[in-house]
Amino acid sequence: MDYSRQIFILSLFFLPFTAVAQTTTVNSENWITSPGIIGTLVLVFIVIFIAVLIFMSRLNSYVKLLKHRQIEKKNLAFNEELLALQEEDIDIILQQRKSGLKYRLKGTELGSDQGAVDEKGLIGRVTHEPENPLFDEKKKTPLGIETPDELKKIVTYYLGASVFWLVFGTLVGQYVGMKFLWPEMDHFSWLSFGRLRPVHTNAVFWGWASLAMIGLGYFVIARTSNAKVYSYGSAWWTWRLINLTVFLGTLSLMSGINNGGGEYREYTWPVMLIFAIGLIITFWNFYKTIASRKIADIYVSNWYMLAALIWTTVLAIIGYMPFFSDGLGETVIQGYYMHQGVGMWFMTFTLGLIYYYLPSSLNKPIYSYSLGVLAFWTQMLFYTMIGTHHFVFSPLPWWLQTTAIVFSAGMFIPVVAGTTNFLMTMRGSWSHISKSYVLPFFLVGVIFYFVGSTQGSVQAFRFTNYVWHFTDFNVAHSHMTMYGIITFILWACIYTILPKLTGKEPPQVLVGAHFWMAFIGLFAYMVSLMVGGTYKGLSWIEGNAFLNSVILMKPYWLWRAIGGSLMFTSHLVFAYNFYIMVNKRKSVEPMRVSQVGQVNN
């Protein structure tokens, strides 16, 4: 029985206990013992453990560096001592060295019927898994990947635009976060919270994440299909359309022109139509490139990316059609649109990127193709039905709410399958943590994929929904997923491929500063809002005045601002790192495709 079947059966075993154990009433007396609360606490401690693991690995690397410098000092002192020796002493030492050079192994030191004895200290390490060594070393190489100039330009410009929208969108988000502490910062209508908040979310959604994903995706489809991109002109048209969408959408939102209260649907339909056209063009370009592939199989990354493009095109049409925009129909469509936007566009597409860039960065194939296929189809099955868990205890039919909860629990299957696949791919390559920040970015993204997705499933339970819904906890959860998963994975992919395309690599100290400020900022941001959101929900349950819940949130909003400041500063460092990688390009020696360590289909 392979791993994918074992995980599927194990997940089905636990689903009845998680999904059925939901009652029609809630009791807040022993809230800390609720499965959803306990599960969330466990998941947070997992994040802390991974942070400590990465920190200790980096610290160990620094200690080794100090020891190496001490050895160099001793060698220097030894050389100076040799220079001070007399000729007779030097002749004796040289004679001893010559005798050592003449020594030959007898063949019985490590073999024969005798016990293995390593008297000469020849063994560096021992492994019982020659096909999967404990430490899979990978040295940096100045060689680049042979890539058409047109494709390099496409990838670079998509990523460049995405970096701009990341800095702009998070600058707006930082300003909005400061308003929680100083609400009287300004008196301009176009800088009000209600206008700037959707500017922030839509800029980082459709500007930063979408452009980065598509740009990275173009390299993946060309490489895994061993074919030229079908139409570079179409790629440029999509670049223009998406940037135009975010630009016009930002101006309209700040002017007070929006689509109403639908979260992530604030752009009006003429603006979002431009984005939808860009998606359709991208899908056709991807599809035609894959159709002209020179290999038999379609690599699993392309499954995810094509599915994401199809689902999101359908999603944009359904989300903006006026037929269901009245009454409870509007609520159902909003839940569908909001959650599909995150799950079927950002998450699905990013998972496709991981299946290429993670194995490529480690010079090894993905651990299990079967687990990838299992995760793909269960993602398609379960994610499409969970949007209504945002409206538990609403006037929507009780059976529809229960269906969303059950399918939310079902998401445990693709999440465990994907996380297992990624971590097993990393197995044997943990030494990369101390050598480069690419693997730490991937590791944090994968861990947050498990933590954030699982936390979302337990948050769908009725009691946890009862405590956390409409509180700041939801803001923490959205950043745990869109930032902890999507953004960290995109950063990992960018740091993996861009130096190979441009031949320019940023200083590791700057990449490390980016990583730690982003990670620590995110952790401070999400934990403060989790704790504060929990207290706020309990305050409402106890019947306290709404104003009391606002007052108790003040210290947590302060920590939110501190965490947000660290995150925004890390984005400035990342923007500078990107500038280093694309500026003053040096020539790189092309490497043949067979030498690059392609992933196996």
Side-chain angles (χ1 to χ4, degrees):
M1 182 182 297
D2 58 20
Y3 283 105
S4 59
R5 191 175 305 173
Q6 294 177 19
I7 291 176
F8 183 74
I9 294 175
L10 184 63
S11 303
L12 289 179
F13 176 77
F14 284 106
L15 279 181
F17 297 97
T18 56
V20 177
Q22 306 296 312
T23 61
T24 59
T25 60
V26 293
N27 184 358
S28 62
E29 292 181 0
N30 298 318
W31 63 273
I32 194 65
T33 61
S34 167
I37 302 292
I38 294 175
T40 298
L41 292 175
V42 171
L43 293 171
V44 170
F45 280 113
I46 291 176
V47 175
I48 296 175
F49 172 77
I50 295 300
V52 172
L53 178 67
I54 295 175
F55 176 77
M56 293 303 296
S57 176
R58 302 299 301 188
L59 180 61
N60 183 56
S61 176
Y62 180 71
V63 171
K64 288 182 178 179
L65 178 62
L66 292 179
K67 290 182 178 180
H68 178 69
R69 290 177 178 176
Q70 290 178 353
I71 294 174
E72 288 184 341
K73 289 181 179 179
K74 291 181 179 179
N75 291 337
L76 180 60
F78 178 72
N79 291 336
E80 293 176 349
E81 183 180 350
L82 286 179
L83 293 174
L85 290 175
Q86 299 295 326
E87 291 186 6
E88 296 79 5
D89 298 329
I90 295 176
D91 291 338
I92 295 174
I93 294 174
L94 290 176
Q95 192 64 34
Q96 292 175 347
R97 298 296 294 272
K98 289 180 180 179
S99 300
L101 292 174
K102 293 179 180 179
Y103 177 81
R104 294 292 181 269
L105 293 173
K106 299 177 181 178
T108 59
E109 289 82 358
L110 300 176
S112 76
D113 297 331
Q114 303 176 13
V117 178
D118 184 24
E119 296 178 350
K120 301 298 181 182
L122 302 175
I123 299 177
R125 62 178 179 267
V126 178
T127 177
H128 298 288
E129 296 179 284
E131 298 299 327
N132 185 23
L134 181 61
F135 292 100
D136 183 11
E137 304 290 347
K138 176 177 181 254
K139 301 298 182 182
K140 290 184 179 179
T141 173
L143 301 181
I145 299 178
E146 186 178 1
T147 306
D149 290 335
E150 298 93 335
L151 181 56
K152 287 183 181 180
K153 192 173 181 180
I154 287 289
V155 174
T156 303
Y157 270 74
Y158 267 87
L159 294 181
S162 71
V163 172
F164 169 80
W165 290 118
L166 172 67
V167 174
F168 170 78
T170 52
L171 173 63
V172 174
Q174 175 67 9
Y175 187 77
V176 169
M178 304 297 282
K179 279 179 170 285
F180 282 93
L181 298 173
W182 300 286
E184 302 298 328
M185 289 176 62
D186 60 71
H187 301 279
F188 302 102
S189 60
W190 52 278
L191 291 179
S192 62
F193 181 89
R195 296 190 184 183
L196 287 185
R197 198 267 177 175
V199 169
H200 161 65
T201 55
N202 285 277
V204 295
F205 271 38
W206 315 122
W208 150 243
S210 297
L211 283 170
M213 291 188 314
I214 294 175
L216 293 167
Y218 267 112
F219 183 85
V220 174
I221 62 162
R223 182 62 62 177
T224 57
S225 301
N226 195 20
K228 179 182 176 182
V229 173
Y230 176 70
S231 172
Y232 290 114
S234 297
W236 284 116
W237 271 111
T238 298
W239 185 87
R240 298 185 186 99
L241 290 173
I242 293 181
N243 280 289
L244 181 63
T245 297
V246 183
F247 177 74
L248 294 178
T250 298
L251 291 181
S252 63
L253 290 177
M254 296 185 72
S255 302
I257 304 172
N258 56 67
N259 193 44
E263 193 171 19
Y264 313 142
R265 280 197 298 168
E266 292 90 354
Y267 287 174
T268 57
W269 72 263
V271 174
M272 204 59 186
L273 179 62
I274 301 174
F275 183 83
I277 293 173
L279 287 186
I280 294 173
I281 294 174
T282 302
F283 168 76
W284 182 249
N285 214 5
F286 277 30
Y287 170 76
K288 293 295 289 184
T289 302
I290 297 171
S292 62
R293 66 190 183 278
K294 296 180 175 61
I295 54 179
D297 298 324
I298 300 177
Y299 186 61
V300 67
S301 290
N302 299 327
W303 290 38
Y304 280 89
M305 292 188 295
L306 287 180
L309 288 164
I310 294 173
W311 273 108
T312 309
T313 303
V314 174
L315 176 66
I317 295 173
I318 294 177
Y320 279 84
M321 287 177 65
F323 309 115
F324 307 104
S325 297
D326 295 320
L328 291 179
E330 165 71 10
T331 303
V332 174
I333 294 300
Q334 174 58 28
Y336 174 78
Y337 179 91
M338 177 172 54
H339 225 84
Q340 299 310 298
V342 175
M344 301 307 292
W345 174 230
F346 298 108
M347 191 68 72
T348 301
F349 202 108
T350 302
L351 289 173
L353 296 178
I354 299 177
Y355 276 101
Y356 175 81
Y357 286 105
L358 176 61
S360 176
S361 67
L362 299 176
N363 280 341
K364 60 168 65 173
I366 196 70
Y367 173 71
S368 171
Y369 200 90
S370 298
L371 279 178
V373 174
L374 170 66
F376 174 83
W377 287 113
T378 49
Q379 173 104 353
M380 298 299 107
L381 171 64
F382 290 112
Y383 218 117
T384 55
M385 298 292 289
I386 65 179
T388 313
H389 74 206
H390 285 273
F391 303 104
V392 176
F393 300 113
S394 72
L396 294 178
W398 193 261
W399 66 265
L400 185 59
Q401 301 176 34
T402 303
T403 300
I405 295 172
V406 171
F407 275 71
S408 297
M411 277 300 298
F412 187 71
I413 298 175
V415 169
V416 171
T419 304
T420 302
N421 213 1
F422 301 143
L423 291 180
M424 293 300 287
T425 302
M426 296 179 192
R427 186 183 66 172
S429 300
W430 301 115
S431 60
H432 283 256
I433 293 178
S434 62
K435 296 179 179 180
S436 169
Y437 275 101
V438 170
L439 185 59
F441 273 110
F442 272 121
L443 181 59
V444 169
V446 169
I447 293 301
F448 267 109
Y449 173 55
F450 175 77
V451 171
S453 300
T454 306
Q455 192 278 319
S457 294
V458 300
Q459 189 174 342
F461 296 167
R462 285 194 167 91
F463 177 78
T464 47
N465 221 294
Y466 183 59
V467 175
W468 288 332
H469 199 43
F470 297 121
T471 72
D472 295 66
F473 195 102
N474 289 321
V475 181
H477 172 72
S478 64
H479 282 76
M480 187 189 303
T481 52
M482 279 300 300
Y483 197 88
I485 305 173
I486 306 301
T487 298
F488 266 83
I489 292 299
L490 291 178
W491 282 332
C493 297
I494 291 171
Y495 282 126
T496 296
I497 192 59
L498 204 53
K500 295 179 180 179
L501 296 182
T502 65
K504 193 74 173 178
E505 193 166 2
Q508 284 297 300
V509 64
L510 292 181
V511 181
H514 171 205
F515 173 83
W516 285 112
M517 284 193 291
F519 183 81
I520 295 173
L522 172 61
F523 192 79
Y525 188 102
M526 74 176 194
V527 171
S528 61
L529 292 186
M530 282 179 167
V531 175
T534 302
Y535 281 131
K536 177 186 279 190
L538 294 174
S539 175
W540 293 347
I541 292 174
E542 293 172 358
N544 297 328
F546 177 79
L547 186 59
N548 291 345
S549 67
V550 176
I551 295 173
L552 71 84
M553 281 299 300
K554 187 174 181 179
Y556 303 105
W557 285 335
L558 174 61
W559 279 104
R560 167 192 173 133
I562 294 173
S565 299
L566 285 172
M567 293 157 69
F568 177 68
T569 305
S570 76
H571 303 163
L572 298 179
V573 176
F574 168 62
Y576 181 69
N577 288 342
F578 177 82
Y579 171 78
I580 291 176
M581 288 187 284
V582 300
N583 188 46
K584 297 180 181 178
R585 299 180 183 177
K586 64 181 181 180
S587 59
V588 295
E589 180 182 343
M591 180 183 289
R592 296 180 62 84
V593 173
S594 60
Q595 296 174 302
V596 180
Q598 295 291 307
V599 291
N600 294 339
N601 288 344

